[in-house]
Amino acid sequence: MGEPVIDVHTHVVPKGWPELSAICGGSGWPWLRVDSERDAMIMVGEVEFRPIGAECWDAGVRLSDMDADGVDVQVISPTPVFFSYDRPADQAVKVARIFNDLTLEIAAAAADRLIPFCQVPLQDPDAACAELDRCLAAGHRGVEIGNHVGDRDLDDEGIVTFLQHCAGVGAPVFVHPWDMPTSPRIDRWMARWLTGMPAETHLSVLALILGGVFDRVPRSLRLCFAHGGGSFPFWLGRADNAWRRRGDVVRGRSAHPPSHYVDRFFVDTVVFAPAALRLLIDTMGEDQVVLGSDYPYPLGERPVGQVVRKAPFLTLEQRVKLLSANARRFLGLPPREV
Ligand code: CO
């Protein structure tokens, strides 16, 4: 394929950030326990959160993986554990600045192949807008946000203010599930990731729809949801049915049934099964699905893009859309000449 393959869902973890308790105050901050040249452990306080490798911080390792997987361009986004939305806003501002600046250093190693997205202190809309503006001026190309801030969903007035700002400055927004509910029932088998994450994303899409956000924000707002939009596409018929038959409680503020809004946001291809990808195309439309991988994490797809490349039901034109052209629209890049 002549078009550059663009992966919109990857994560970085920079190395060498300062001790956050010393800069921000408070305790229980994430820190990196470096175990070797290539291995480290993200720690949260004294708890081991996730083992990571050099591909998280070393652009050279990342680029050679991209070459092996046939990926030309990656959007590199924060790892949600650093969002700090539950902290006082002034502390979250400091954390965002540190990680955003370090991410620019990773992207600088290959400015034509690594597209940096920033994080923002979303608990404070004014501070979030200011940090986004600072980051865009410094070289970031978009923003990744968590799908909620405590009990505030994406239809919260402050978050909508931030989304309006993103539309105004033309910044694409990648929405990632995080901060999943915990309970003894769900703290097993990675169930927080396997069931909690898709449910979180499902809820966020519904909040934008039923909260009437899509009726209020301009069409120029470019949103993309991780993991194929979570459970949303599979259960769109259920949501439409509820909107029609239990409109007394379900309609909320939306002027139309949920299926009316599927052209207002993108979803990525991190769904693993060809049948699930087919459902995404059928439900969301072939113009709304963009290549993602969750690289370099173990719940991500490797080799990147294999489901899209192998799915026998895709036409060549559809494959180009999924691997490249739709991401160009999400990112606001001009379409390539055919
Ligand atoms: Co991810």
Side-chain angles (χ1 to χ4, degrees), residues 177-261:
W178 87 304
D179 191 24
M180 297 77 78
T182 65
S183 83
R185 290 177 53 238
I186 204 170
D187 290 339
R188 308 189 289 169
W189 311 315
M190 293 197 83
R192 280 168 65 198
W193 280 261
L194 298 176
T195 68
M197 275 196 162
E200 283 290 340
T201 304
H202 188 171
L203 179 59
S204 294
V205 176
L206 286 181
L208 287 175
I209 292 172
L210 299 175
V213 178
F214 285 126
D215 295 320
R216 310 206 298 279
V217 298
R219 290 193 72 88
S220 58
L221 177 63
R222 302 193 303 274
L223 286 165
C224 180
F225 285 85
H227 312 130
S231 319
F232 172 80
F234 191 85
W235 289 113
L236 177 54
R238 184 172 174 85
D240 268 4
N241 181 64
W243 191 90
R244 291 199 173 90
R245 301 189 65 197
R246 284 306 313 271
D248 53 325
V249 284
V250 172
R251 265 177 214 178
R253 299 174 66 183
S254 72
H256 306 279
S259 56
H260 175 84
Y261 300 92

Side-chain angles (χ1 to χ4, degrees), residues 85-86 120-124 145-154 156 159 178-179:
Y85 295 169
D86 59 342
V120 292
L122 197 57
Q123 63 268 60
D124 181 331
I145 62 170
N147 73 306
H148 66 110
V149 177
D151 285 335
R152 297 153 64 191
D153 280 303
L154 296 186
D156 171 82
I159 297 176
W178 87 304
D179 191 24

